[in-house]
Amino acid sequence: MADARGLVKRRAGARLWLSAGWLVLLVLVALFAPLLAPQDPLMQDLFAARLPPFWASGADPNFPLGTDSLGRDVLSRIMYGARVALSVALIAGILTCVIGSVLGLIAGYFRGWPDVVISRLVDIWMAFPPVLFSILLIAVMGTGLGSIIIAVVVIDWTRFARVIRAEAMSQGAMDYVASAQVSGRKRFSIMLTEILPNVMPTIVVLLTLEMGIAVIVEAILSFVNLSISTDDPTWGSMIAEGRLSIHQAWWVLVFPLIALFLTVLSLSQLGEGLKDRFDPVLR
Amino acid sequence: MTLIRRILLRLLTTAITLFGVAVIVFFVIRVVPGNPVAMMLPPGATDDDIARLKALYGLDKTIPEQFLIWLGGVLHGDFGTSITTRQPVLSLVLSRLPATIELSIMALVIAMIIGGALALTGTRKRGTKVEGTIDVTNGVALSVPDFLWGLVLILLFGVLWPIFHISGRISPSIDLPFSTNFYLFESVLRLRFDIWADLVSHMFMPSLALAIPLAAIIAQLLKQSLKETMHLDYVTLARTKGYDENHVITREALPNAVLPTLTLIGVQFTFLIGGTVIIERLFSYEGLGNMAIDAVINRDLPLIQGIVILFALIFTAVNLVVDLTYAALNPRLRNG
């Protein structure tokens, strides 16, 4: 039994470190994209269109991962695309987390009419197909980084609100909260100082998952041509382009897809790993 | 609370939810910057054009007035007229709905088969490397959403080893002798297995993409419930009676372990249906979701409203059925 648990722990540890490693690499690449990128990500060169990646015959070493149908360097575009992906992940993830968690805490701890209103809103939100909702919001607000972030927050706050509400409810029923209430402290301060620290592990796990979701939402919106702008390199727009030229130049789709895949996987594995760390039974 | 009262209460909240969805869609399209008429007309339209179009679609009235008119129509089964196609929204939406229903159900069936098989194999081989592999695969399948699986499948089975169609619902060369839009269903009824095969080879990739995350969820939960059930006394008894392991798992443990999974499938099915929107787009599958994205891009307000309401109706209906089935199956809730 002890051995099995050790194995689980070791495997989980390796997963956590691999995920963290990829994410750190991604952050560095995003920060230093102008220094690292071999080419200007926007520069078109129709004479260098659809060059294959470096190991294939006919490749140009100046374009290590090949070029797209307009002759733009795939590697440089992935590097610059990491900036958009990480910005959306961080900003949209954190905003969604804060708004959703606060609403969930209020609903779960204060109960009464705030709970009725928030729960009813969550029900309504759950009846929307999320992808369609996000596309609709972008169509209405216009494209751009700000719109994407707003769309993610507007759609996904319920993920936090639902879970945190349930957790806050069960925490609120515990003795330590009752004793804090008896001592005459303000309910709002109890919520922040007693309830919040106890639901924090859940919040952190949800946050990492939400970051992954935000990256996907951005990619989906780019894919249907509703993200930043058609010129700016984003992984989603590269994937959309790659999908069209898939039979002529598979690498235009494959490399941004790998980047997206690893990022989403790492974020969720990081969440899982953190969950295990916080879980007193496994710890 | 009796079952009847529970059902009535549940119907009431469902109605409130649908009404909320209708209000939100209606107002979001109109209140947020950019007025709907500007969205409908090509750039360069004159003021006169705008005024005429506004009057035509009743957009010269206040937003609450428009909402009441629209709601009145909906209650009579009139969802308005699509701006791009000039056809009634209801008939447009209903013509695409069968394609999406068939895709969703096929995905659900695939998810149940894969998820069930993984759970049973994992239980049969528990404690071995096979179970470990299944757990790791599940973890990856769970963390990556259907959109990415769709792209991976396109690369693998559309390009690298092109054995499935990755675009459309049916080969354009096929003459359809059908009277409904439930092609897959009707092809079986009419014994046209040539058409059935063509449909399946188009639908398999998108439905598999939708199925992978759900299959992982099913595998995980079912395996866990099976594991718990395997420790119960009656299972041990069956084993001492000399039944082999396969019999014990499938005949003794499975029937008791399957209920939580079934409930979960019901809830997850709505997420799967929500996923059809982008998956249909990815695979150029002519269903409701693909139509919805076109409607948004073409600023076809009445059509957008109609489709969103229909999706909300499907979601709430599925949830309602799941809740009621659960209440009916669970004796503790029946009279509780």
Side-chain angles (χ1 to χ4, degrees), chain A residues 182-211:
Chain A
V182 169
S183 71
R185 287 169 55 197
K186 289 239 164 41
R187 296 204 70 180
F188 199 75
S189 113
I190 295 175
M191 184 182 95
L192 292 182
T193 56
E194 306 290 338
I195 309 270
L196 181 61
N198 281 297
V199 297
M200 210 54 198
T202 312
I203 291 181
V204 172
V205 173
L206 285 177
L207 175 62
T208 57
L209 292 178
E210 184 58 38
M211 287 178 164

Side-chain angles (χ1 to χ4, degrees), chain A residues 120 123-129 132 135-136 139-140 216 220 223 239 243 246 254 257 260-261 264-265 268-269, chain B residues 13 17 21 24-25 32-33 143-145 147-149 151 154-155 159 166 278 282 292 296 299 304 308 311-312 315:
Chain A
R120 192 56 49 223
D123 277 354
I124 293 172
W125 249 249
M126 298 293 290
F128 275 103
L132 184 53
I135 292 170
L136 192 60
V140 170
I216 291 288
I220 287 177
F223 183 78
I239 286 171
R243 170 74 176 90
I246 191 166
V254 168
L257 181 59
L260 189 55
F261 200 98
V264 173
L265 195 61
S268 80
Q269 295 302 312
Chain B
T13 56
T17 301
V21 170
I24 288 170
V25 188
V32 185
S143 340
V144 177
F147 176 62
L148 290 190
W149 287 125
L151 288 162
I154 285 178
L155 278 167
V159 179
I166 51 168
I278 193 67
L282 190 56
V296 173
R299 319 289 199 204
I304 297 172
V308 174
F311 267 114
F315 284 15

Side-chain angles (χ1 to χ4, degrees), chain B residues 269-299:
Chain B
F269 188 44
T270 60
F271 296 140
L272 188 152
I273 298 171
T276 58
V277 175
I278 193 67
I279 289 298
E280 287 181 3
R281 191 67 175 184
L282 190 56
F283 288 90
S284 315
Y285 183 86
E286 294 102 9
L288 204 53
N290 211 346
M291 182 189 246
I293 293 180
D294 282 334
V296 173
I297 290 171
N298 297 327
R299 319 289 199 204

